[in-house]
Each structure stands twice: as C-alpha cells, then as structure tokens.
Amino acid sequence: LERLHQERRQKWEEAELAKYEAKGKKPPKGWEKQFPVHENPTPEQLEPFPSLPQGWTYDLLENICDPSRPICYGVIKLGNDFPNGVPCLRTSNVRPLRIDIDAVKTISPKISQNYERTVLQGGEVLVNVRGTLGGIAVVPISMKGWNISREVAMAAVSPHIFSEYIALAIASYYSQNWLTGVLKGVAYTGINIADLKRLPVPIPPLDEQKEIVRDFYSRFRRVTGVFRSMKESHRDLETLTQSLLAKAFRGELVPQDPNDEPASELLARIREEREKKAPAKKAKKAK
C-alpha cells in the first residue's frame, strides 16, 4: 500500500502538470501541496468491521483508486435514445456481481464527451448509488468506451489491486451494512459519493486477493448449479403433475377391469338415491 500511495501521488502530479501544460501555464509555487493528504480509516469507521488476519490491512476505497480518475457518478441527463450512440449503463444494468446488457440505453457521443471522466476503460468497479442499490460489478474490457448514468458510481481501482476482489469486498455483508448506515434521503434514498470514498476496504496481499476471487466463484458456480437443478426439477414436476392428471382422466393410472361399474352409471345411481331421499325430508319438515 505504501508503494501504491507513492505511485498514486506520482500519477496525480503527472495529471496536474498535464492540465497546466494544456492551458499553456506554469504550475504555481507550492502546487504539489494540493495533493489530498492520505487518511487512514479511523477507529470509529472500523468499529462495524471485523479484525483482519496477519498481513492484511484496512484502507479507504478512495486511497486505492487512480487519483486522475476520482470516484464519481456519471451522466446526469441521458436524453433520448440515440441510435448507434454510446452505450450507457444504468442501475438496471449493474446487477450483483454482473452486468446485464439487456435494454442498454445509448446516448449521444457529444453528451458522453461532456462526461469524459466516467468513460469506461475496463477494470473499473461500478456501484449503484441511487434507486436500486446493491448492484456492484467489474467492467469487462469489451465495454471500453461505454459510459454510466448518475445513478451509478465508478471506482477506477489501482492496477496493483485486483478489481474483482474489491467488488466482492464492497458487496460483502459488512460493507453493505456500513453503506446502508450512511444512506441519505427520504423519498429518494442513495449513497453519497463522499461516503463511498471513505468506505473502509480490507486489503490482503495480491495473491490472496486472487485466491479469494477464485474460491468464491468456484463456490458460486456450484450454488448456481444447485439452483438451476432445482428450477429444472420444479419445471419437470409441473409437467409430471399435468401428465398424471391427464392420465387419471383417461383412466390410465391403473389397469382397467371391464367388469367395473362405469363412472356414468355410478353417478346416475347416486343421483337417483338422492332424489328418493329428498321427498322424505320435505315431509318431515311439513309435520
């Protein structure tokens, strides 16, 4: 993390110098001091979180992201659907640990350019911060050049941290409880970007990050397979029930005895017996 923080400062300085150069200006004296001071999680912030194994540490989400691409939300007004435009991910697309590309809205390239800060490059962690919360996913490289809406926040995680692990960490029980505790709004609930930046994230060594992700998805695939089998069994059961009912009506469930009384004759006999009893009941009432 110390090395990451040093590189983070170097990237910030390079980005700031590039801004001054683009404007044809020289950086003012003491411009380096404008770099955000690194803050460690406070004991109050860590109180809801468990203690960590040896070799792990907590850090704020903001501290492990690219400083030239700060955590932020995307396009405020998407406008009408723009044919062959820039795909823009919304909360309906960012699901728990996956991105659903059905019904992806496309926006004008000009609008997307106005929000260049959230143009995706691949590897970012997306977090729903408005509307339907709980959606957290990593952007695949195939979505490079896409953008996001204002309901979605982007965290450009450092290449020294495994993005898939950070997505799992944010989706964890402890992180979700912490974020739920800082929800803002009454009619329109959401997570403030400032709060998301200060989310404490447990950081293990890189090899352990990769092993955690591998183990999680291995178990996740098994659980998904069980649920798929359950759905298939339920569907087969419904089909079997319908088939059994059909056979029952056709009298195919048991071997048929030609000497058995037909159901039509049985019903006729029952009806006749009921009609014979009916007058006797009426006569008792008359007395």
Side-chain angles (χ1 to χ4, degrees):
L1 283 177
E2 288 179 3
R3 177 164 52 85
L4 186 152
H5 296 153
Q6 291 173 0
E7 292 181 3
R8 188 169 181 269
R9 182 182 181 91
Q10 182 180 349
K11 276 192 172 185
W12 177 86
E13 291 180 353
E14 291 172 354
E16 289 297 305
L17 289 173
K19 289 179 184 178
Y20 286 115
E21 186 178 351
K23 295 177 181 179
K25 297 180 179 180
K26 290 184 178 180
K29 186 178 180 180
W31 66 275
E32 304 98 327
K33 295 180 181 179
Q34 297 177 11
F35 180 74
V37 178
H38 176 81
E39 295 183 31
N40 292 317
T42 64
E44 291 76 16
Q45 287 174 305
L46 293 178
E47 187 175 351
F49 293 87
S51 57
L52 295 177
Q54 186 176 0
W56 293 40
T57 187
Y58 279 107
D59 206 348
L60 302 181
L61 181 60
E62 181 180 27
N63 293 337
I64 59 171
C65 290
D66 186 343
S68 64
R69 304 180 67 202
I71 298 173
C72 58
Y73 54 77
V75 182
I76 296 176
K77 294 183 178 180
L78 304 182
N80 296 326
D81 204 44
F82 195 91
N84 301 319
V86 177
C88 188
L89 298 174
R90 298 171 290 173
T91 53
S92 57
N93 305 118
V94 181
R95 302 301 184 94
L97 302 180
R98 67 185 180 90
I99 294 178
D100 187 348
I101 60 174
D102 289 339
V104 172
K105 187 178 179 66
T106 52
I107 62 175
S108 164
K110 186 176 181 179
I111 293 177
S112 183
Q113 288 171 7
N114 292 336
Y115 291 85
E116 187 178 3
R117 64 183 184 176
T118 53
V119 172
L120 303 176
Q121 298 178 10
E124 300 91 347
V125 177
L126 302 183
V127 181
N128 287 347
V129 292
R130 293 288 185 276
T132 306
L133 303 179
I136 301 158
V138 176
V139 178
I141 193 67
S142 60
M143 294 181 184
K144 183 177 181 179
W146 291 28
N147 215 319
I148 57 175
S149 70
R150 69 173 302 181
E151 292 82 18
V152 180
M154 177 202 75
V157 179
S158 165
H160 299 293
I161 305 289
F162 205 37
S163 295
E164 284 77 5
Y165 166 77
I166 297 301
L168 292 181
I170 298 174
S172 71
Y173 169 82
Y174 295 102
S175 296
Q176 288 298 298
N177 273 1
W178 191 90
L179 289 172
T180 301
V182 298
L183 287 177
K184 301 295 190 298
V186 178
Y188 194 54
T189 304
I191 300 168
N192 283 346
I193 294 297
D195 292 322
L196 182 61
K197 289 179 178 180
R198 302 187 67 77
L199 171 69
V201 180
I203 309 295
L206 186 59
D207 288 344
E208 291 189 48
Q209 294 176 32
K210 294 179 179 179
E211 178 61 21
I212 289 169
V213 172
R214 186 205 64 77
D215 186 63
F216 171 83
Y217 280 104
S218 174
R219 296 168 186 265
F220 186 74
R221 282 191 293 271
R222 290 202 294 270
V223 172
T224 303
V226 171
F227 274 103
R228 189 181 298 113
S229 298
M230 287 174 60
K231 286 184 177 180
E232 291 174 356
S233 298
H234 187 265
R235 187 168 55 249
D236 292 343
L237 183 61
E238 288 182 345
T239 303
L240 179 61
T241 301
Q242 294 173 3
S243 177
L244 284 172
L245 288 173
K247 286 190 173 184
F249 282 118
R250 292 196 301 267
E252 298 175 359
L253 288 181
V254 295
Q256 299 300 304
D257 185 348
N259 298 319
D260 283 345
E261 181 183 24
S264 57
E265 293 182 9
L266 173 63
L267 289 174
R269 180 163 51 81
I270 293 173
R271 193 180 301 113
E272 184 178 348
E273 291 176 356
R274 290 179 63 184
E275 290 175 354
K276 287 181 179 178
K277 292 179 181 178
K281 288 183 180 181
K282 289 181 180 179
K284 289 180 180 180
K285 287 181 180 180
K287 291 180 182 180

